[in-house]
Amino acid sequence: MSAPDDSPVGTERSIGHLFASATTELSALVHDEIALAKAQLRQDVKRGATSGGAFSLAGAVLLFSLPMLSFALAYGIRTWSDWNLAVCFLLSFAANVLVAVLLALIGVVFAKKAKKGRGPQKVAASVKQSAGVLQNAKPHPRPELPADRSPEAIEAVARSSS
């Protein structure tokens, strides 16, 4: 079994190893936060595109279907009733406007969902929270060294071996 930096478990790691490990982990955290922001932004853009598509479809339905639908509906109403042809055309127009309004409402619903997404703001809050945790982190207390492993004893061994 080994530590994340491939040193054997139970051995003390130097400050340099600890700093390199912390830097690597912090870098991975930042990269993951950026990837999360991109994914959430992609989702918000998709919702916005759906909203724009629904608005465009509402306009296209109103524009292109009015002549044919109006004539067909008006003459159909005239056939089934003895109403004036002008009233039949007004009813036909009202039906087409109703369809366009329903499509526009669908567009409004998706636009509100896209506006509420706030993907990047969520990630920014998460990054601030991570930074707050790292600022408040306290180092673990070091265990007491045995008498034969005191810093003076280690220095004496280091001087004698050089």
Side-chain angles (χ1 to χ4, degrees):
M1 187 186 312
S2 63
D5 64 350
D6 295 330
S7 63
V9 174
T11 62
E12 290 188 32
R13 297 186 289 169
S14 69
I15 298 288
H17 286 290
L18 291 173
F19 186 75
S21 176
T23 304
T24 303
E25 290 174 12
L26 193 59
S27 175
L29 176 66
V30 169
H31 285 291
D32 290 344
E33 294 284 352
I34 290 171
L36 177 63
K38 285 180 181 179
Q40 289 177 341
L41 193 59
R42 221 176 281 124
Q43 185 180 19
D44 290 345
V45 167
K46 188 183 289 186
R47 285 182 181 152
T50 303
S51 170
F55 281 126
S56 299
L57 187 60
V61 164
L62 187 62
L63 182 68
F64 294 121
S65 71
L66 279 179
M68 293 305 289
L69 289 176
S70 293
F71 278 98
L73 189 58
Y75 283 110
I77 294 171
R78 173 76 174 157
T79 302
W80 294 319
S81 68
D82 287 330
W83 292 347
N84 187 354
L85 193 56
V87 172
C88 295
F89 272 102
L90 284 176
L91 289 174
S92 173
F93 176 75
N96 287 325
V97 169
L98 181 66
V99 169
V101 166
L102 289 175
L103 288 172
L105 287 176
I106 291 171
V108 167
V109 167
F110 277 102
K112 285 184 180 180
K113 282 185 181 180
K115 193 174 186 180
K116 285 183 182 179
R118 299 188 189 272
Q121 289 86 355
K122 288 180 185 177
V123 173
S126 174
V127 169
K128 286 180 184 177
Q129 183 182 13
S130 298
V133 168
L134 290 175
Q135 286 176 351
N136 295 331
K138 295 180 180 177
H140 295 302
R142 293 189 176 253
E144 291 294 321
L145 294 175
D148 62 339
R149 292 205 45 178
S150 66
E152 296 82 22
I154 294 172
E155 284 181 31
V157 170
R159 274 186 258 130
S160 66
S161 63
S162 50

